[in-house]
């Protein structure tokens, strides 16, 4: 407002006359100015339509067709693929594993991220170095680091079993054990994403008001009481954001699983993403694969919408 | 009741020491957990083929550069690096040219629908777009081409750029723009000469973060790529597809891929929280 008031609105020169553009260039600029709200987002809108909306609709169409690149079968079959998906025990197993993976990964990364955030929220020598160190796994290339984890998981030569033997524990098969595959991959996923949870939680901790903490200290509350009765409730909106992002990302984990186990041993670590990928691109059954993809995408979308709604309530 | 011999002050001191011990034990075990894999990767990359599979694992050894030499001489690793760079730079370039104006428009005109559409790309799994792209690419001959991969990487970088920058643009005081407009600047010129320079730190952050996202991406190249478009994640993945895993070469390759982006990410540390949550929280 101040600049508007102090602007030389009544000066001798008030800029080009709006209504009478002098040159072709000025006319073009005036045109863009008038339609800025349409023209500026236009390229992005076209990209979104071409690369996101159109493929989504196409996937939906493909899911109602027989479209098998190996058998060369093409036909409209309505919802038959969906009937097949929901009748498939492999689908339901993958669904269960996806839920299992997501719950473990979200819980693990948020608990660990919270511990890290609380540590970094304190003042100690080297706090900046610690912060930087914690951030590194988050940006490291997942394919590369997952393969390094695989090297460390090696049952006979891996350094992790060396550590286990060193402290007197029996060696583990890690991802080679069908029952341990998911928890082990979750560990790698937590390694990747706990720093992300930490970053958001730390930003949240820093933004909390000081007064409630001061009065609690005066009242002689213990650290644990302060954490559960003051920090956590105040942090609720931020926690919802972390839960939202972590749920979305955990549902969609592909690189880690594909690189480390490709869904094995057996189907021991086959999540919905891996199942959809195998149907579409390993067996090249694009019709059935699309149906799996649609169901999977809907699950991710529903989970996201649920969290977005929860977020709106938490901020209100 | 027996008289207490420990004074409250001494008890507080003991409690403080215990707390300090717990604090530093937690801190160092966390640091160990988060840094060990990266450290082990770098350490192993300097081991010979015999040393890298030695059991018990070697901690002290004579380092060799052989793995790095092999990675570059026995593979076309330079061309993989070039592929990754070309794809990431082009995708980010297109992302910036299209995304910056869109983000500005979103920040100034509250275009929620646009924001929602861009966000779907962040939320939905990549495979949701992949089957049609695969079908269309096969028809258009875009499989195994740079253009094809760049297009898909735009899906990865565009939402990041738009959401990070929309947050930045919102923080720029409108007074500055109003002043420029009244002085006769067009809105386009205001955007180019006032808004963009002022949001340079944000643009740098968005550029680096989206570059990393493209650099790290795997699934689009896995399906739509080919021998002419092998990017670095694909190259390191190929080290295990042989009978025998070449761990020395793999760790060297993994180090070469990871270290540049770790260094880049340090530049934008300050913006990571806000950037990676797409403006859902101001970092």
């Amino acid at each position: 407002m101040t600049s508007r008031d102090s602007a030389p609105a009544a000066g001798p020169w008030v800029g080009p006359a709006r209504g009478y553009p002098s040159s072709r260039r000025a006319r073009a600029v005036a045109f863009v100015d008038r339609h800025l709200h349409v023209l500026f987002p236009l390229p992005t809108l076209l990209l979104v339509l071409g690369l996101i909306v159109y493929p989504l609709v196409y996937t939906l169409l493909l899911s109602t067709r027989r479209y098998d690149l190996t058998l060369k079968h093409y036909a409209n079959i309505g919802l038959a693929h969906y009937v097949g998906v929901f009748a498939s025990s492999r689908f339901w197993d993958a669904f269960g594993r996806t839920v299992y993976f997501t719950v473990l990964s979200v819980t693990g990364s948020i608990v660990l991220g919270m511990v890290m955030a609380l540590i970094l929220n304190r003042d100690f020598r080297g706090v900046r170095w610690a912060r930087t160190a914690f951030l590194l796994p988050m940006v490291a290339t997942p394919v590369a680091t997952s393969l390094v984890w695989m090297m460390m998981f090696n049952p006979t030569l891996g350094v992790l079993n060396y550590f286990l033997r060193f402290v007197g524990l029996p060696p583990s098969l890690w991802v080679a054990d069908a029952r341990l595959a998911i928890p082990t991959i979750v560990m790698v996923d937590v390694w990747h994403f706990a720093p992300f949870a930490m970053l958001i939680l730390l930003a949240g901790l820093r933004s909390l008001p000081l007064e409630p903490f001061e009065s609690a200290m005066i009242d002689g509350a213990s650290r644990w009481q302060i954490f559960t009765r003051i920090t956590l409730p105040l942090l609720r909106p931020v926690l919802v954001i972390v839960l939202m992002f972590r749920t979305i990302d955990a549902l969609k984990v592909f690189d880690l699983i594909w690189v480390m186990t490709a869904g094995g041993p057996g189907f021991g670590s086959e999540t919905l993403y891996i199942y959809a990928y195998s149907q579409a691109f390993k067996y090249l059954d694009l019709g059935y694969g699309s149906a799996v993809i649609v169901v999977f995408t809907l699950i991710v979308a529903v989970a996201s919408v649920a969290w977005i709604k929860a977020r709106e309530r938490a901020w209100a | 009741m027996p008289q207490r011999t420990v004074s409250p002050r001494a008890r507080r001191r003991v409690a403080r020491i215990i707390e300090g011990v717990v604090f530093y034990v937690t801190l160092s075990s966390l640091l160990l957990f988060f840094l060990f894999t990266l450290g082990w990767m770098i350490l192993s990359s300097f081991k010979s083929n015999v040393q890298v599979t030695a059991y018990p694992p070697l901690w002290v050894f004579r380092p060799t550069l052989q793995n790095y030499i092999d990675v570059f001489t026995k593979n076309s690793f330079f061309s993989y690096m070039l592929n990754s760079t070309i794809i990431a730079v082009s995708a980010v370039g297109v992302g910036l040219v299209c995304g910056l104006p869109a983000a500005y428009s979103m920040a100034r005109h509250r275009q929620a629908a646009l924001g929602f559409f861009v966000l779907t790309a962040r939320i939905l799994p990549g495979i949701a777009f992949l089957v049609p792209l695969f079908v269309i690419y096969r028809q258009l001959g875009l499989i195994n081409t740079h253009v094809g991969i760049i297009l898909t990487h735009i899906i990865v970088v565009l939402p990041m750029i738009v959401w990070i920058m929309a947050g930045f643009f919102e923080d720029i005081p409108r007074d500055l723009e109003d002043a420029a407009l009244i002085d006769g600047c067009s809105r386009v010129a205001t955007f180019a000469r006032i808004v963009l320079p002022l949001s340079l730190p944000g643009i740098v952050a968005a550029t680096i973060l989206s570059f990393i996202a493209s650099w790290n991406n795997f699934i689009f190249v896995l399906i739509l790529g080919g021998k002419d478009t092998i990017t670095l994640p694909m190259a390191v993945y190929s080290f295990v597809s042989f009978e025998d895993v070449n761990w020395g070469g793999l760790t060297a390759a993994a180090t070469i891929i990871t270290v540049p982006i770790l260094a880049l990410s340090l530049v934008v540390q300050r913006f990571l929280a806000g950037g990676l949550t797409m403006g859902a929280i101001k970092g």
Side-chain angles (χ1 to χ4, degrees), chain A residues 278-292:
Chain A
S278 321
Q279 296 303 321
F281 295 108
K282 223 165 99 189
Y283 311 137
L284 291 175
D285 188 347
L286 297 183
Y288 183 82
S290 294
V292 179

Side-chain angles (χ1 to χ4, degrees), chain B residues 1-279:
Chain B
M1 231 198 242
Q3 187 83 36
R4 289 232 171 130
T5 48
V6 186
S7 72
R9 185 181 295 175
R11 218 179 319 142
R12 266 206 300 275
R13 194 184 301 157
V14 171
R16 189 168 297 169
I17 290 172
I18 292 173
E19 205 195 292
V21 169
V22 170
F23 176 78
Y24 280 104
V25 166
T26 318
L27 174 64
S28 25
S29 25
L30 283 172
L31 281 174
L32 187 71
F33 176 64
F34 284 104
L35 289 183
F36 183 79
T37 310
L38 296 174
W40 194 246
M41 169 181 83
I42 295 171
L43 200 69
S44 305
S45 70
F46 292 108
K47 288 178 178 177
S48 71
N49 270 332
V50 181
Q51 289 164 337
V52 81
T53 52
Y55 194 89
L58 289 175
W59 300 91
V60 182
F61 57 93
R62 183 191 290 272
T64 166
L65 284 176
Q66 197 55 47
N67 292 322
Y68 288 92
I69 297 167
D70 287 352
V71 159
F72 282 108
T73 53
K74 289 187 184 167
N75 303 274
S76 357
F77 215 72
F78 273 120
S79 70
Y80 307 152
M81 272 179 126
L82 196 65
N83 284 339
S84 271
T85 312
I86 289 173
I87 290 166
V89 168
S90 317
V92 172
V94 175
L96 285 173
V97 169
C98 300
L100 288 176
Y104 177 69
S105 171
M106 241 171 76
R108 287 292 177 254
H109 298 285
R110 308 231 157 265
Q111 289 161 325
L114 176 69
F116 170 77
F117 272 120
V118 176
L119 200 62
T120 52
R122 164 70 175 81
I123 288 173
L124 299 182
I127 201 167
F129 322 113
L130 263 168
V131 173
L133 290 177
F134 181 67
V135 174
I136 298 164
Y137 275 25
R138 272 165 50 107
Q139 285 160 1
L140 298 179
L142 278 173
I143 300 261
N144 188 23
T145 61
H146 284 95
V147 175
I149 305 295
I150 291 165
L151 279 173
T152 60
H153 279 227
I154 292 173
I155 304 180
V156 179
V157 300
L158 194 63
M160 292 192 97
I161 292 173
V162 170
W163 276 88
I164 296 173
M165 290 320 295
F168 256 88
F169 291 148
E170 265 169 27
D171 288 346
I172 290 179
R174 291 187 85 143
D175 290 353
L176 288 167
E177 287 174 55
D178 288 343
L181 285 172
I182 287 162
D183 286 349
C185 245
S186 68
R187 293 186 68 189
V188 181
T190 310
F191 172 67
R193 296 204 202 128
I194 312 271
V195 178
L196 284 187
L198 280 175
S199 33
L200 201 63
I203 296 175
V204 171
T207 305
I208 291 181
L209 286 175
S210 50
F211 182 90
I212 292 175
S214 164
W215 183 270
N216 284 349
N217 189 283
F218 177 60
I219 190 163
F220 289 120
V221 185
L222 180 67
I223 295 170
L224 304 173
K227 63 176 175 33
D228 298 332
T229 51
I230 297 175
T231 57
L232 289 172
M234 212 52 214
V236 72
Y237 178 59
S238 68
F239 274 94
V240 280
S241 34
F242 307 131
E243 277 286 292
D244 187 32
V245 183
N246 173 5
W247 289 116
L250 187 145
T251 48
T255 307
I256 297 169
I257 297 176
T258 318
V259 167
I261 55 163
L262 292 185
L264 267 180
S265 73
L266 297 186
V267 179
V268 287
Q269 244 198 81
R270 211 151 55 82
F271 302 104
L272 275 177
L276 293 173
T277 54
M278 316 264 165

Side-chain angles (χ1 to χ4, degrees), chain A residues 97-112 179-187 189-190 246 250:
Chain A
R97 274 183 224 107
T98 307
V99 173
Y100 179 43
F101 183 97
T102 305
V103 170
L104 281 186
S105 169
V106 170
T107 319
S109 59
I110 290 184
V111 169
L112 213 56
R179 282 165 56 202
L180 281 181
I182 290 274
T184 307
I185 300 168
V186 164
M187 181 173 81
D189 194 51
V190 166
R246 283 301 300 121

Side-chain angles (χ1 to χ4, degrees), chain A:
Chain A
M1 281 321 270
T2 47
S3 61
R4 194 191 290 273
D5 294 338
S6 60
W13 187 78
V14 290
R18 278 279 157 84
Y20 308 96
S22 48
S23 66
R24 181 174 291 188
R25 186 168 179 275
R27 233 177 303 155
V29 167
F31 179 79
V32 174
D33 266 25
R34 243 178 297 127
H35 302 282
L36 192 87
H37 62 288
V38 182
L39 291 176
F40 263 31
L42 196 63
T44 293
L45 213 59
L46 291 176
L47 282 174
V48 167
L49 279 177
L51 292 170
I52 295 167
V53 178
Y54 176 67
L56 282 176
V57 175
Y58 201 143
T59 307
L60 210 58
L61 281 178
L62 273 177
S63 72
T64 64
R65 300 179 60 188
R66 184 168 287 140
Y67 201 102
D68 192 313
L69 288 184
T70 46
L71 300 173
K72 307 270 182 214
H73 281 164
Y74 312 98
N76 282 317
I77 52 163
L79 295 178
H81 279 320
Y82 289 95
V83 176
V85 170
F86 289 119
S88 151
S89 65
R90 197 172 154 189
F91 167 81
W92 287 109
D93 288 347
F95 176 77
R97 274 183 224 107
T98 307
V99 173
Y100 179 43
F101 183 97
T102 305
V103 170
L104 281 186
S105 169
V106 170
T107 319
S109 59
I110 290 184
V111 169
L112 213 56
M114 181 62 100
V115 173
M116 288 150 79
L118 288 171
I119 285 179
L120 293 180
N121 200 30
R122 296 175 53 155
D123 209 19
F124 60 92
R125 272 182 67 182
V127 62
R128 292 169 63 94
W129 286 99
R131 195 181 115 103
T132 305
F134 281 153
L135 290 180
L136 295 179
M138 190 175 63
V139 283
T141 310
V143 174
T145 50
S146 302
L147 290 170
V148 177
W149 277 101
M150 272 310 275
M151 178 175 85
M152 307 200 308
F153 287 144
N154 189 301
T156 48
L157 304 169
V159 68
L160 291 183
N161 274 350
Y162 172 77
F163 285 148
L164 285 185
R165 288 200 191 96
F166 192 79
V167 295
L169 290 169
S172 168
L173 282 174
W174 303 104
V175 283
D177 181 338
R179 282 165 56 202
L180 281 181
I182 290 274
T184 307
I185 300 168
V186 164
M187 181 173 81
V188 179
D189 194 51
V190 166
W191 181 82
H192 259 292
F193 284 105
F196 172 76
M198 174 273 277
L199 257 185
I200 306 177
L201 291 170
L202 184 61
L205 283 175
R206 295 245 165 98
S207 67
L208 295 184
L210 284 174
E211 297 82 27
F213 293 93
E214 281 162 359
S215 43
M217 296 270 257
I218 293 167
D219 293 345
S222 72
R223 277 181 183 283
W224 181 248
Q225 282 173 323
I226 292 179
F227 177 70
T228 52
R229 307 260 177 87
I230 299 175
T231 314
L232 279 185
L234 284 176
L235 217 52
R236 207 173 62 113
V238 179
L239 274 171
V240 172
I241 288 183
V242 185
L243 278 164
M244 175 176 86
F245 278 104
R246 283 301 300 121
T247 309
I248 293 171
D249 287 334
L251 284 171
K252 295 194 301 182
V253 168
F254 174 78
D255 296 9
L256 301 191
I257 307 178
W258 187 253
V259 165
M260 288 199 279
T261 64
F267 297 126
S269 59
E270 188 175 76
T271 57
L272 281 178
Y273 206 140
I274 302 287
Y275 179 56
Y277 176 87
S278 321
Q279 296 303 321
F281 295 108
K282 223 165 99 189
Y283 311 137
L284 291 175
D285 188 347
L286 297 183
Y288 183 82
S290 294
V292 179
I293 291 170
V294 169
V295 174
F296 172 49
T297 306
L298 276 178
I299 292 172
V300 176
V302 166
S304 314
V305 170
W307 279 119
I308 290 170
K309 291 268 179 254
R311 192 194 145 205
E312 279 162 7
R313 253 179 285 127
W315 284 100

